Amino acid sequence: MISVVILTKNSARTLANTLRSLAKFPEVLIVDTGSSDQTLEIANSYSNVRVLAKKFSTFGPTRNAASLEARHDWILSIDSDEALSPSLEHAIRTASLDPNCVYGLVRENYFRGKKITCSGWNDEKRIRLYHRKKTAFTEDFVHEKIETKGFEMKYFPGSLLHTPFLEERDFIEKLQYYTDLYAKQHHGTPSSYKKAAFRGLWSFFRAYILQKGCLFGSAGWTISFYKGLSSYYKYAKLAELNRSDENIQRASS
């Protein structure tokens, strides 16, 4: 038996689509970290959904804590802006699972109603199904992954449909949130504003030119620009955090 585990916070705009794709799973566990919109109302309208409230720390530890609350040992971890295609849903539910394997999904990314195949957003492989007594997520603050060392990796047919951004403001909100977590996780690692500028420019160039965002009109520009800004702010915030430490040390000496 599989438990689907989803972290939510103010996920009302996308959650219903996610839960519709999971209607045939015996348990969908929503672990909510402080929603103030209609997320909980939507979750509670599905008979196979169980809702728990939990304080968010960072992504890796919160996902691992959430998995321990599930009723079944096989954990399918997806996000509230993702949905299973019918073929993927059927493949997962009917598979004979091996505890010595971890299982991956192929993710398609959508923006403004179109599938995006540029700027590094082409079909992505993500390990998402695992046996919780055998492995778990890394403890990373952000960009956490299921530990796969020593496991065979198998991929299901079908697609995981991902809509990470619905409006322009979503880019800004996620940029701020994820770059803050990145800086906290790497606190103390050398960085500089010069490095931030270089990494930001390189990320934009790679996404827009090398990964052909320039062929996708305004969508390609927006995604590439977001990638450049994200890279810049990760290293700029890290440099700022390190500089604050240096100022405190000088003031106390």
Side-chain angles (χ1 to χ4, degrees):
M1 299 285 277
I2 297 172
S3 288
V4 184
V5 179
I6 306 172
L7 301 185
T8 60
K9 184 177 181 182
N10 295 333
S11 306
R13 291 178 298 160
T14 56
L15 184 60
N17 189 47
T18 301
L19 296 180
R20 280 194 296 270
S21 76
L22 301 169
K24 294 182 181 179
F25 285 85
E27 180 187 46
V28 177
L29 177 62
I30 296 286
V31 178
D32 190 77
T33 59
S35 292
S36 57
D37 63 1
Q38 294 179 305
T39 294
L40 298 182
E41 180 182 335
I42 293 168
N44 285 319
S45 69
Y46 289 80
S47 60
N48 65 329
V49 172
R50 185 162 59 97
V51 178
L52 293 176
K54 193 173 283 288
K55 184 178 180 181
F56 181 83
S57 54
T58 54
F59 279 102
T62 303
R63 288 196 192 277
N64 286 330
S67 74
L68 297 177
E69 303 287 351
R71 291 176 177 145
H72 307 297
D73 287 331
W74 280 104
I75 305 297
L76 174 61
S77 178
I78 70 170
D79 293 335
S80 61
D81 56 6
E82 297 172 335
L84 308 187
S85 70
S87 58
L88 177 59
E89 181 269 340
H90 182 264
I92 293 172
R93 281 195 308 105
T94 59
S96 296
L97 301 175
D98 179 352
N100 296 309
C101 294
V102 290
Y103 295 87
L105 318 178
V106 178
R107 187 166 76 174
E108 296 178 356
N109 293 290
Y110 288 81
F111 181 53
R112 296 175 182 161
K114 294 174 61 177
K115 180 181 175 181
I116 303 297
T117 57
C118 69
S119 303
W121 272 26
N122 18 325
D123 294 350
E124 304 167 323
K125 291 184 176 181
R126 295 287 185 266
I127 300 298
R128 293 296 188 84
L129 178 61
Y130 66 100
H131 196 287
R132 68 180 174 188
K133 292 184 178 178
K134 295 286 188 175
T135 189
F137 277 93
T138 61
E139 294 289 301
D140 293 320
F141 288 14
V142 66
H143 302 312
E144 68 291 352
K145 299 178 180 67
I146 293 168
E147 296 277 10
T148 61
K149 187 175 181 180
F151 290 89
E152 182 181 355
M153 291 184 283
K154 296 182 178 180
Y155 288 85
F156 290 109
S159 301
L160 181 66
L161 310 175
H162 184 217
T163 309
F165 305 104
L166 296 178
E167 303 174 32
E168 296 297 323
R169 65 183 176 89
D170 294 336
F171 284 94
I172 303 302
E173 290 174 359
K174 288 193 175 185
L175 182 152
Q176 292 285 19
Y177 190 58
Y178 285 104
T179 55
D180 280 348
L181 288 173
Y182 178 90
K184 289 176 183 177
Q185 179 174 328
H186 295 276
H187 188 187
T189 302
S191 187
S192 67
Y193 295 106
K194 183 178 180 180
K195 179 179 181 178
F198 173 79
R199 294 299 291 264
L201 288 170
W202 166 246
S203 293
F204 172 77
F205 176 79
R206 181 177 59 185
Y208 194 64
I209 302 298
L210 300 183
Q211 296 175 331
K212 301 180 180 178
C214 56
L215 302 180
F216 278 71
S218 62
W221 166 265
T222 300
I223 294 164
S224 300
F225 191 61
Y226 167 76
K227 286 199 162 190
L229 279 180
S230 293
S231 187
Y232 170 78
Y233 277 109
K234 282 195 304 186
Y235 294 99
K237 287 182 178 182
L238 179 56
E240 183 178 58
L241 194 60
N242 291 340
R243 189 173 67 174
S244 296
D245 286 348
E246 293 170 1
N247 291 337
I248 291 171
Q249 289 173 0
R250 281 196 292 267
S252 60
S253 62

